[in-house]
Each structure stands twice: as C-alpha cells, then as structure tokens.
Amino acid sequence: MSTRAGAGWLLALAAAPAGAVALDTLPLIDEPPAAGLRWQVEAGHDIARPLGRAIGSDREAAAIERLSLSARWQDVQAGLTLRDMTLHDGEDLHRLQGWDASLRWHLPTDASGLTRWALQAGAWGHQADRLSQATRGSLKVSGLNAQLSRFDVERPRDRQWQLDLLGQHTLPWPGLVLTAAAGLGRSEVSNAALGGTARVGGCSHDLEFGTTQLIARPGDDCAQAFIISVPNRLLKFDAQRETRYRARFMHLGAALHWRQGRWLLSGGADLQHWSRPGLDDLSSVRAPVTRVLTLATRLAHDLGPDTRLSVQLRHADHRLVGEVPMLYNARTASRFATRQTQVELALAHRF
C-alpha cells in the first residue's frame, strides 16, 4: 500500500491518491510528519485509450483525469480529489465530473511499531449535465407503438458516504508491507428529469417520463399529431424507480507492497458487494450486478526526496458499477458484463 523506522517516510510517497475513499485498492498508512503540516499534490492522466489506439484496439473505455490534494498533521490526514471523466460508449460520448473527500484518523500503534491502524470517513460522487444514450428500444402499450431513438437523463448524480478501517503490518521480510481495508457505505442516485425522443405513427415525439405518467409531445415535423399520455403502471418499466434509488455497499481488500531502493511495487485486490432495495428486485433487471472485483498493481519511483512518478493499472469486472453508480440502472445492467482496464500515469510532490 527494511524496518518501519527506516522506510516509513519513503512509503508515504507511495501512498494512494489523496482523498481516494472507496476507489483506492492500494492504501498505505504513512508515518506522521517530523514536524508541522505536510501537503501533497498529485496529478494523474489515464493513458489506457492512447495505448489501445497504439496497439490497434478500437475497444471503447473511460478516460479519467484527476487532481488530488492532501494534508497531514500529526495523526490527522485529509484529502480532496477532483476528477474529469470522458466515457466512450459506442456512438455516445459522456462527460462526467467526480470528486471525493476523506478524513483519516491514525490510531496508536502497538509497542513494536510494526502494526498500524486508521479509521477513514469519506464522501464521493459524480455528476453530469446530461447523459444521452442512443437506443432502438420500443414502447408497446395500450395501442401505443413507439420506437425509441434516444433516452436522456438530465443532471444525474450519485453521492456515497463511507467508513473504513485500515490496517498495515510490516512483514519480517525486507521491504515488505501488508495492508488491508474493510468498509461500509450507502449510496444515493438521483436526477432532475427523464426524457428522450421516439417515433410514434411515423412522427417524432419528445418524451417526458413523469412520476405518474409518460407524456409524448409531437415534434416540429408532426404539427397535427396529438399529445399522448400513458400511465406509468401500463409501462413495462418504471423509469423513475430505475434511475433514482438508494443502495448499500461494503468492501474488503488487501494489498502487498515491496520497496527496493527508490522503487516501490504494489499489488492488491478489492471486492465490493452492492445491495439496491427496490431496484435489484425489478423484473426488468435480468441479472443485477452486485459484486465488483478490482485488481490493481502500481510501480512507483522516487525522483527525489519529495517527488514521485508512478504508473498504476486497475482491472475490474463491472468496474463502472463500483466507481460511478449513477451509470447503473435496470436499462444498463446487461451492459456492465465487460471487463475494463485503466492505466494511469501520475506525478506527486510533497511540500
């Protein structure tokens, strides 16, 4: 995530991104600063898509840029991370903004100084102006035969709150440190409005998915068409329930870190389990995604006493389910069966 006294400040430079709460698979509990307040700033750039293009792969993925800032004073550490995500999904391109913040309390160590514990509380989330997805679905109910062409979610967002227990133990082999993390949290997914477009009777209609009914208003090319209203109870899916819900989650992870001179190699795994009462039991969710397994490895090099360059690879089944909950609903459940990989190049400096 040599002896503890000799490697502690070096291990601190290889700590996880500042402010990372649920998304950090390789956490470390660093030594307190020798005196006063210490700051760290870190910038990360996702190079997975450029690498994919370089090797001739046309597989779409998410590109993430982030900027992290953390501060440590005695036994208290705080962090804030801002992220910008571009999600390539077939013909659609989504732009999202993310953030996370954490506050960590370092607990007293044992007499040997080889084992450390910390409690971490945090919040994280994402938002976007609009998520628009091209679709060829159909609406067939009460004489209405509509062919969907686009589904829109206005101002979607997710918010998560989490509490973690972190542990770290220096192993009897030179340079080896074992870390573990376990936590519980809750999530809330919401949006401002649901809409879209569809073809009804050869004419385009603008759709409004309300709390009680679906309203289809004719477009400019169908000035003589009627406004259509369909009660939600007659539809095969409930757009409101499937895109606005609360969830609970828990996770358990472990990582091994090995330092050799100025180099640090880390590897670990984290397993999330999600529970979404009111969503996972809907008939339109064929196979709800409730588990997310993330594997990660990171190679870091100290360029100087306060500067570090690192490259991290994260690979996960259903990765975006655990990272961006607002992207998951009954309509997208079947789309999250793929594995995704992120390759991040990051530069950190402490002052």
Side-chain angles (χ1 to χ4, degrees), residues 194-254:
L194 301 173
T197 59
R199 302 288 297 182
V200 183
C203 295
S204 64
H205 283 67
D206 295 324
L207 305 179
E208 298 177 12
F209 293 90
T211 56
T212 61
Q213 60 186 348
L214 166 66
I215 299 178
R217 304 180 186 277
D220 295 336
D221 60 336
C222 298
Q224 304 300 319
F226 294 101
I227 297 177
I228 303 172
S229 176
V230 180
N232 286 343
R233 58 183 174 81
L234 299 180
L235 299 177
K236 294 183 178 179
F237 63 93
D238 189 334
Q240 294 288 341
R241 288 183 61 194
E242 297 182 12
T243 58
R244 299 176 181 176
Y245 57 88
R246 294 182 178 179
R248 299 184 298 270
F249 62 90
M250 58 182 179
H251 81 101
L252 180 65

Coordinates of all heavy atoms in Angstrom, one line a residue, residues 194-254:
L194 N -36.2 13.0 -16.7 CA -36.0 11.9 -17.6 C -36.8 12.2 -18.9 O -37.9 12.7 -18.8 CB -36.5 10.6 -17.1 CG -35.8 10.1 -15.8 CD1 -36.5 8.9 -15.3 CD2 -34.3 9.9 -16.0
G195 N -36.1 12.1 -20.0 CA -36.8 12.4 -21.3 C -36.2 11.6 -22.4 O -35.5 10.6 -22.2
G196 N -36.5 12.0 -23.7 CA -36.0 11.3 -24.8 C -36.8 11.6 -26.0 O -37.6 12.5 -26.0
T197 N -36.5 10.9 -27.1 CA -37.3 11.0 -28.3 C -37.7 9.7 -28.8 O -37.1 8.6 -28.6 CB -36.4 11.7 -29.4 OG1 -35.3 11.0 -29.7 CG2 -36.1 13.1 -29.0
A198 N -38.8 9.6 -29.6 CA -39.3 8.4 -30.2 C -40.1 8.7 -31.4 O -40.6 9.8 -31.6 CB -40.2 7.6 -29.1
R199 N -40.3 7.6 -32.2 CA -41.1 7.7 -33.4 C -42.4 7.1 -33.1 O -42.5 5.9 -32.7 CB -40.5 7.0 -34.6 CG -39.1 7.5 -35.0 CD -39.1 8.9 -35.6 NE -39.9 8.9 -36.9 CZ -40.0 10.0 -37.7 NH1 -39.5 11.1 -37.3 NH2 -40.7 9.9 -38.8
V200 N -43.5 7.8 -33.2 CA -44.9 7.3 -33.0 C -45.7 7.6 -34.2 O -45.9 8.8 -34.6 CB -45.5 8.0 -31.8 CG1 -46.9 7.4 -31.5 CG2 -44.6 7.8 -30.5
G201 N -46.2 6.6 -34.9 CA -47.0 6.7 -36.1 C -46.3 7.5 -37.2 O -46.9 8.3 -37.9
G202 N -45.0 7.3 -37.3 CA -44.2 7.9 -38.3 C -43.7 9.3 -38.0 O -43.1 10.0 -38.8
C203 N -44.1 9.8 -36.8 CA -43.8 11.2 -36.4 C -42.8 11.2 -35.2 O -43.0 10.3 -34.3 CB -45.0 12.0 -36.0 SG -46.1 12.3 -37.5
S204 N -41.9 12.1 -35.1 CA -41.1 12.2 -33.9 C -41.8 12.8 -32.7 O -42.6 13.8 -32.9 CB -39.8 13.0 -34.3 OG -40.1 14.3 -34.6
H205 N -41.5 12.3 -31.5 CA -42.2 12.8 -30.3 C -41.1 13.0 -29.3 O -40.1 12.2 -29.2 CB -43.2 11.9 -29.8 CG -44.5 11.9 -30.5 ND1 -44.6 11.5 -31.9 CD2 -45.8 12.4 -30.2 CE1 -45.9 11.7 -32.3 NE2 -46.6 12.2 -31.3
D206 N -41.2 14.1 -28.5 CA -40.4 14.3 -27.3 C -41.0 13.6 -26.1 O -42.2 13.9 -25.8 CB -40.2 15.8 -27.1 CG -39.4 16.4 -28.2 OD1 -38.5 15.8 -28.7 OD2 -39.7 17.6 -28.5
L207 N -40.3 12.8 -25.4 CA -40.8 12.1 -24.2 C -40.5 12.8 -22.9 O -39.4 13.3 -22.7 CB -40.3 10.7 -24.3 CG -40.5 9.8 -25.5 CD1 -39.9 8.5 -25.4 CD2 -42.0 9.7 -25.9
E208 N -41.5 12.7 -22.0 CA -41.2 13.1 -20.6 C -41.7 12.0 -19.7 O -42.9 11.7 -19.7 CB -42.0 14.4 -20.3 CG -41.6 15.6 -21.2 CD -42.5 16.8 -20.9 OE1 -43.3 16.8 -19.9 OE2 -42.5 17.8 -21.7
F209 N -40.7 11.4 -19.0 CA -41.1 10.4 -18.0 C -41.4 11.0 -16.7 O -40.4 11.4 -15.9 CB -39.9 9.4 -17.9 CG -39.7 8.6 -19.2 CD1 -38.8 9.1 -20.2 CD2 -40.3 7.4 -19.4 CE1 -38.6 8.3 -21.3 CE2 -40.1 6.6 -20.6 CZ -39.2 7.1 -21.5
G210 N -42.6 11.2 -16.3 CA -43.0 11.8 -15.1 C -43.2 10.8 -14.0 O -43.0 9.6 -14.1
T211 N -43.5 11.3 -12.8 CA -43.7 10.4 -11.6 C -44.9 9.5 -11.8 O -45.0 8.5 -11.1 CB -43.8 11.3 -10.4 OG1 -44.9 12.2 -10.5 CG2 -42.5 12.0 -10.1
T212 N -46.0 9.9 -12.6 CA -47.2 9.2 -12.7 C -47.5 8.7 -14.1 O -48.3 7.8 -14.3 CB -48.4 9.9 -12.1 OG1 -48.5 11.2 -12.9 CG2 -48.2 10.3 -10.7
Q213 N -46.9 9.4 -15.1 CA -47.3 9.1 -16.5 C -46.2 9.5 -17.4 O -45.3 10.3 -17.1 CB -48.6 9.9 -16.9 CG -48.4 11.4 -16.8 CD -49.7 12.1 -17.0 OE1 -50.7 11.5 -17.5 NE2 -49.8 13.4 -16.7
L214 N -46.2 8.9 -18.6 CA -45.3 9.2 -19.7 C -46.1 10.1 -20.7 O -47.2 9.8 -21.1 CB -44.9 7.9 -20.4 CG -44.2 8.1 -21.8 CD1 -42.9 8.8 -21.7 CD2 -44.0 6.8 -22.5
I215 N -45.5 11.2 -21.0 CA -46.1 12.2 -22.0 C -45.3 12.2 -23.2 O -44.0 12.5 -23.1 CB -46.3 13.6 -21.3 CG1 -47.2 13.5 -20.1 CG2 -46.8 14.6 -22.3 CD1 -47.3 14.8 -19.4
A216 N -45.9 12.1 -24.4 CA -45.2 12.2 -25.7 C -45.8 13.4 -26.4 O -46.9 13.4 -26.8 CB -45.4 10.9 -26.5
R217 N -44.9 14.4 -26.6 CA -45.3 15.6 -27.3 C -44.8 15.6 -28.8 O -43.6 15.3 -29.0 CB -44.8 16.8 -26.6 CG -45.3 16.9 -25.1 CD -44.7 18.1 -24.5 NE -45.0 18.1 -23.1 CZ -46.1 18.5 -22.5 NH1 -47.1 19.0 -23.3 NH2 -46.3 18.5 -21.2
P218 N -45.6 15.8 -29.8 CA -45.2 15.8 -31.2 C -44.1 16.8 -31.5 O -44.1 17.9 -30.9 CB -46.5 16.0 -32.0 CG -47.4 16.8 -31.0 CD -47.0 16.2 -29.7
G219 N -43.2 16.4 -32.3 CA -42.1 17.4 -32.7 C -42.6 18.3 -33.8 O -43.7 18.3 -34.2
D220 N -41.6 19.1 -34.3 CA -42.0 20.1 -35.3 C -42.4 19.5 -36.6 O -43.1 20.1 -37.4 CB -40.7 21.0 -35.5 CG -40.4 21.8 -34.3 OD1 -41.3 22.0 -33.5 OD2 -39.2 22.2 -34.2
D221 N -42.0 18.2 -36.9 CA -42.4 17.6 -38.1 C -43.8 17.0 -38.1 O -44.2 16.4 -39.1 CB -41.3 16.5 -38.5 CG -41.2 15.4 -37.5 OD1 -41.6 15.7 -36.3 OD2 -40.8 14.3 -37.8
C222 N -44.4 17.0 -36.9 CA -45.7 16.4 -36.8 C -46.7 17.4 -36.1 O -47.1 17.2 -35.0 CB -45.7 15.1 -36.0 SG -44.6 13.9 -36.7
A223 N -46.9 18.5 -36.7 CA -47.7 19.6 -36.1 C -49.1 19.2 -35.8 O -49.8 19.7 -34.9 CB -47.7 20.9 -36.9
Q224 N -49.7 18.2 -36.6 CA -51.1 17.8 -36.5 C -51.3 16.6 -35.5 O -52.4 16.2 -35.3 CB -51.6 17.5 -37.9 CG -51.5 18.6 -38.9 CD -52.3 19.9 -38.4 OE1 -53.4 19.8 -37.8 NE2 -51.6 21.0 -38.6
A225 N -50.2 16.1 -35.0 CA -50.3 14.9 -34.1 C -50.8 15.3 -32.7 O -50.7 16.5 -32.3 CB -48.9 14.2 -34.0
F226 N -51.3 14.3 -32.0 CA -51.8 14.6 -30.7 C -50.7 14.4 -29.6 O -49.8 13.6 -29.8 CB -53.0 13.6 -30.4 CG -54.2 13.9 -31.2 CD1 -54.4 13.1 -32.3 CD2 -55.0 14.9 -30.9 CE1 -55.5 13.3 -33.1 CE2 -56.2 15.2 -31.7 CZ -56.4 14.4 -32.9
I227 N -50.9 15.0 -28.4 CA -50.1 14.7 -27.3 C -50.6 13.4 -26.7 O -51.8 13.2 -26.4 CB -50.2 15.9 -26.3 CG1 -49.6 17.1 -26.9 CG2 -49.4 15.5 -25.0 CD1 -49.7 18.3 -25.9
I228 N -49.7 12.5 -26.4 CA -50.1 11.2 -25.9 C -49.6 11.1 -24.4 O -48.6 11.5 -24.0 CB -49.4 10.1 -26.7 CG1 -49.8 10.2 -28.2 CG2 -49.8 8.7 -26.2 CD1 -49.0 9.3 -29.1
S229 N -50.6 10.5 -23.6 CA -50.3 10.3 -22.2 C -50.5 8.9 -21.8 O -51.6 8.4 -22.1 CB -51.1 11.3 -21.3 OG -50.9 11.0 -19.9
V230 N -49.6 8.2 -21.2 CA -49.7 6.8 -20.8 C -49.3 6.7 -19.3 O -48.2 7.1 -18.9 CB -48.8 5.9 -21.6 CG1 -48.9 4.5 -21.2 CG2 -49.1 6.1 -23.1
P231 N -50.2 6.2 -18.4 CA -49.9 6.0 -17.0 C -48.7 5.0 -16.9 O -48.5 4.1 -17.6 CB -51.2 5.4 -16.4 CG -52.3 5.7 -17.4 CD -51.6 5.8 -18.8
N232 N -47.9 5.3 -15.9 CA -46.7 4.5 -15.7 C -47.0 3.1 -15.4 O -46.2 2.2 -15.7 CB -45.8 5.1 -14.5 CG -45.1 6.4 -14.9 OD1 -45.0 6.7 -16.1 ND2 -44.7 7.1 -13.9
R233 N -48.2 2.8 -14.8 CA -48.5 1.4 -14.4 C -48.7 0.5 -15.6 O -48.7 -0.7 -15.5 CB -49.7 1.4 -13.5 CG -51.0 2.0 -14.2 CD -52.1 2.1 -13.2 NE -53.3 2.8 -13.8 CZ -54.1 2.3 -14.6 NH1 -54.0 1.0 -15.1 NH2 -55.1 3.0 -15.1
L234 N -48.9 1.2 -16.8 CA -49.1 0.4 -18.0 C -47.8 0.1 -18.8 O -47.8 -0.7 -19.7 CB -50.1 1.1 -19.0 CG -51.5 1.3 -18.4 CD1 -52.3 2.1 -19.5 CD2 -52.1 0.0 -18.0
L235 N -46.7 0.8 -18.3 CA -45.4 0.6 -19.0 C -44.7 -0.7 -18.5 O -45.0 -1.1 -17.4 CB -44.5 1.8 -18.8 CG -45.1 3.1 -19.3 CD1 -44.1 4.3 -18.9 CD2 -45.2 3.1 -20.8
K236 N -43.8 -1.2 -19.3 CA -43.1 -2.4 -18.9 C -41.9 -2.1 -18.0 O -41.3 -3.0 -17.4 CB -42.6 -3.1 -20.1 CG -43.7 -3.7 -21.0 CD -43.1 -4.4 -22.2 CE -44.2 -5.0 -23.1 NZ -43.7 -5.8 -24.3
F237 N -41.6 -0.8 -17.8 CA -40.5 -0.4 -16.9 C -40.9 0.9 -16.2 O -41.7 1.7 -16.7 CB -39.2 -0.3 -17.6 CG -39.2 0.7 -18.7 CD1 -38.7 2.0 -18.4 CD2 -39.6 0.5 -20.0 CE1 -38.7 3.0 -19.3 CE2 -39.5 1.4 -20.9 CZ -39.1 2.7 -20.6
D238 N -40.3 1.1 -15.0 CA -40.6 2.3 -14.3 C -39.3 3.1 -14.3 O -38.3 2.9 -13.5 CB -40.9 1.9 -12.8 CG -41.4 3.1 -12.0 OD1 -41.0 4.3 -12.3 OD2 -42.2 2.9 -11.0
A239 N -39.3 4.1 -15.2 CA -38.0 4.9 -15.4 C -37.6 5.6 -14.1 O -36.4 5.8 -13.9 CB -38.3 5.9 -16.6
Q240 N -38.6 6.1 -13.4 CA -38.3 6.9 -12.2 C -37.6 6.0 -11.1 O -36.5 6.3 -10.6 CB -39.6 7.4 -11.5 CG -40.2 8.5 -12.4 CD -39.4 9.8 -12.4 OE1 -38.6 10.1 -11.5 NE2 -39.7 10.7 -13.4
R241 N -38.1 4.8 -10.8 CA -37.6 3.9 -9.8 C -36.2 3.4 -10.3 O -35.3 3.1 -9.5 CB -38.5 2.7 -9.5 CG -39.7 3.1 -8.7 CD -40.5 1.8 -8.5 NE -39.8 0.8 -7.7 CZ -40.1 -0.4 -7.5 NH1 -41.2 -0.9 -8.1 NH2 -39.4 -1.3 -6.8
E242 N -36.1 3.2 -11.6 CA -34.8 2.5 -12.1 C -33.7 3.5 -12.2 O -32.5 3.1 -12.5 CB -35.1 1.9 -13.4 CG -36.2 0.7 -13.3 CD -36.4 0.0 -14.6 OE1 -35.7 0.2 -15.5 OE2 -37.4 -0.8 -14.6
T243 N -33.9 4.8 -12.1 CA -32.8 5.8 -12.2 C -32.7 6.6 -11.0 O -31.8 7.5 -10.9 CB -33.0 6.7 -13.4 OG1 -34.3 7.4 -13.3 CG2 -33.0 5.9 -14.7
R244 N -33.6 6.4 -10.0 CA -33.5 7.1 -8.7 C -33.7 6.1 -7.6 O -34.8 5.6 -7.4 CB -34.6 8.2 -8.6 CG -34.5 9.3 -9.7 CD -35.7 10.2 -9.6 NE -35.7 11.2 -10.6 CZ -36.6 12.1 -10.8 NH1 -37.7 12.2 -10.0 NH2 -36.5 13.0 -11.7
Y245 N -32.6 5.8 -6.9 CA -32.7 4.8 -5.9 C -31.6 5.0 -4.8 O -30.6 5.7 -5.0 CB -32.6 3.4 -6.5 CG -31.3 3.2 -7.3 CD1 -30.1 2.7 -6.7 CD2 -31.3 3.4 -8.7 CE1 -29.0 2.5 -7.4 CE2 -30.1 3.3 -9.4 CZ -29.0 2.8 -8.8 OH -27.8 2.6 -9.5
R246 N -31.7 4.2 -3.7 CA -30.7 4.2 -2.7 C -30.1 2.8 -2.6 O -30.8 1.8 -2.9 CB -31.2 4.7 -1.4 CG -31.7 6.1 -1.3 CD -32.2 6.5 0.0 NE -32.6 7.9 0.0 CZ -33.1 8.6 1.1 NH1 -33.3 7.9 2.2 NH2 -33.4 9.8 1.0
A247 N -28.8 2.8 -2.2 CA -28.1 1.5 -2.2 C -27.2 1.4 -0.9 O -26.9 2.5 -0.3 CB -27.3 1.3 -3.4
R248 N -26.8 0.2 -0.6 CA -25.8 0.0 0.4 C -24.7 -0.8 -0.2 O -24.9 -1.6 -1.1 CB -26.5 -0.8 1.6 CG -27.6 0.0 2.3 CD -28.1 -0.8 3.5 NE -28.6 -2.1 3.2 CZ -29.9 -2.4 2.9 NH1 -30.7 -1.4 2.9 NH2 -30.2 -3.6 2.6
F249 N -23.5 -0.7 0.4 CA -22.4 -1.4 -0.1 C -21.4 -1.7 1.0 O -21.3 -1.0 2.0 CB -21.7 -0.7 -1.3 CG -21.1 0.6 -1.0 CD1 -19.8 0.7 -0.6 CD2 -21.9 1.8 -1.2 CE1 -19.3 2.0 -0.3 CE2 -21.3 3.0 -0.9 CZ -20.0 3.1 -0.4
M250 N -20.6 -2.7 0.8 CA -19.5 -3.0 1.7 C -18.3 -3.5 0.8 O -18.5 -4.0 -0.3 CB -19.9 -4.0 2.7 CG -20.3 -5.3 2.2 SD -20.8 -6.5 3.6 CE -21.4 -7.9 2.6
H251 N -17.1 -3.4 1.4 CA -16.0 -3.9 0.6 C -14.9 -4.4 1.5 O -14.8 -4.1 2.7 CB -15.4 -2.7 -0.3 CG -14.5 -1.8 0.5 ND1 -13.1 -1.9 0.4 CD2 -14.8 -0.8 1.3 CE1 -12.6 -0.9 1.2 NE2 -13.6 -0.3 1.8
L252 N -14.0 -5.2 1.0 CA -13.0 -5.9 1.7 C -11.8 -6.0 0.7 O -11.9 -6.5 -0.4 CB -13.3 -7.2 2.2 CG -12.3 -8.0 3.0 CD1 -12.0 -7.3 4.3 CD2 -12.8 -9.4 3.3
G253 N -10.6 -5.5 1.1 CA -9.4 -5.6 0.3 C -8.1 -5.8 1.0 O -8.1 -5.7 2.2
A254 N -7.1 -6.2 0.2 CA -5.8 -6.4 0.8 C -4.8 -6.1 -0.3 O -5.1 -6.2 -1.5 CB -5.6 -7.9 1.3

